[in-house]
Amino acid sequence: MTVAVVLGLLAANLPGISGWSAGSGRPGLDFAGKHLMRSGIVVLGLKVSVMDVLGLGWPALLLITGVVLAAFAGTYGIGRLFRLPPQVSLLIATGFAICGASAIGAMAAVRRIRQADTVLPIALVTLCGTLAIGVLPLLIGPLGLGPETFGAWTGASVHDVGQVVATAQTAGASALAVAVIVKLTRVLLLAPMVAAAGIHHRIGSDDGGKLPPVVPLFVLGFIAMAALRSSCWLSPEVLGAAAMLQDVLLGMALFGLGSAVRVRHLLRTGTRALLAALASWLLIAALGLAAAVILIPGR
């Protein structure tokens, strides 16, 4: 995902190809940034097993929900503290608290935020999630974490599902199993968070009949796919193919989004946004660690 964003930015700013990305290639790139992103969110639902999530128990579900809400509120506050625009702060908070680029795309749709305004939040959430892959495993020894506790920490604090898998597998199969279930609990919160944002937008908007739906159609598709996964009707081969399809769709979408941004525009808020993202990353890591220790004490 990081590479896809970078390649998109290069396509927008390198001499020779920038004319194509701003001209004849623009319709297709815009289609990718909007519709392929939404298709990727629908397919993401096939990773969520409601039965696995409920297997954690209600105390654990409430704790993880509390972490997501605290991370969302804290990250939004940090963004505003660094004087980022409200919409950018909202998208960063959504991506960091729930599930990375997919959550940003869903929130942008329900709040009618321009595609170009999603690129910086997506780049930051992808960068920090990639950073976690290298940093978190180095802290297992100093913090004295067992495999399951480390897995719970990873699932509660790393942004994208793929990044969670890459980070947790360094501590073994037991860490990975816990990490995936905790992470998918956060992913399951995508639909209610987007619905709440849609309701808030309707209450505070004066757009009359131009309001978007409270829950966009593609989020309903995400819910339907999660229900299908939870039915246990799909074979592992189908689920593996769906996971690969999601990566392809999101990769193309992020390339399309990156190709709409000129570096000189990005740099105007890039430094403050990067500092805000790093502060948010530390906040969510601390919240996730506290939750992991509570979930799996002494292990």
Side-chain angles (χ1 to χ4, degrees), residues 42-275:
V42 172
V43 179
L44 174 63
L46 289 175
K47 290 185 175 180
V48 182
S49 170
V50 177
M51 296 301 103
D52 288 345
V53 170
L54 292 178
L56 288 174
W58 288 108
L61 294 178
L62 292 174
L63 178 61
I64 295 169
T65 301
V67 168
V68 169
L69 294 176
F72 181 88
T75 301
Y76 181 83
I78 289 171
R80 300 299 291 137
L81 185 65
F82 279 85
R83 303 193 308 278
L84 299 181
Q87 291 184 335
V88 173
S89 299
L90 174 66
L91 294 181
I92 291 176
T94 304
F96 274 54
I98 305 176
C99 56
S102 301
I104 291 173
M107 184 63 74
V110 79
R111 297 302 293 256
R112 287 198 166 170
I113 298 173
R114 296 183 311 148
Q115 285 189 46
D117 293 332
T118 67
V119 176
L120 179 60
I122 285 174
L124 292 172
V125 77
T126 305
L127 172 65
C128 289
T130 303
L131 185 63
I133 298 173
V135 173
L136 265 59
L138 299 178
L139 300 176
I140 296 175
L143 294 176
L145 302 177
E148 293 183 4
T149 304
F150 177 71
W153 182 28
T154 301
S157 58
V158 180
H159 314 317
D160 181 78
V161 176
Q163 295 163 347
V164 168
V165 171
T167 306
Q169 58 86 28
T170 60
S174 61
L176 180 58
V178 173
V180 169
I181 294 175
V182 172
K183 175 59 189 176
L184 293 181
T185 304
R186 292 168 62 199
V187 174
L188 196 59
L189 294 172
L190 174 64
M193 290 285 281
V194 167
I199 293 170
H200 179 268
H201 185 57
R202 281 174 169 266
I203 293 173
S205 177
D206 56 0
D207 290 344
K210 298 180 180 179
L211 290 173
V214 172
V215 181
L217 185 60
F218 66 90
V219 175
L220 294 177
F222 165 86
I223 296 171
M225 291 298 102
L228 181 60
R229 166 64 188 267
S230 302
S231 71
C232 300
W233 292 344
L234 301 178
S235 67
E237 292 77 15
V238 171
L239 295 176
M244 185 178 297
L245 175 62
Q246 188 216 356
D247 286 342
V248 171
L249 290 171
L250 289 184
M252 291 191 290
L254 295 180
F255 180 89
L257 290 170
S259 70
V261 175
R262 299 294 182 266
V263 169
R264 62 179 181 275
H265 297 151
L266 190 62
L267 292 177
R268 292 176 185 173
T269 57
T271 302
R272 284 185 284 112
L274 178 60
L275 292 174

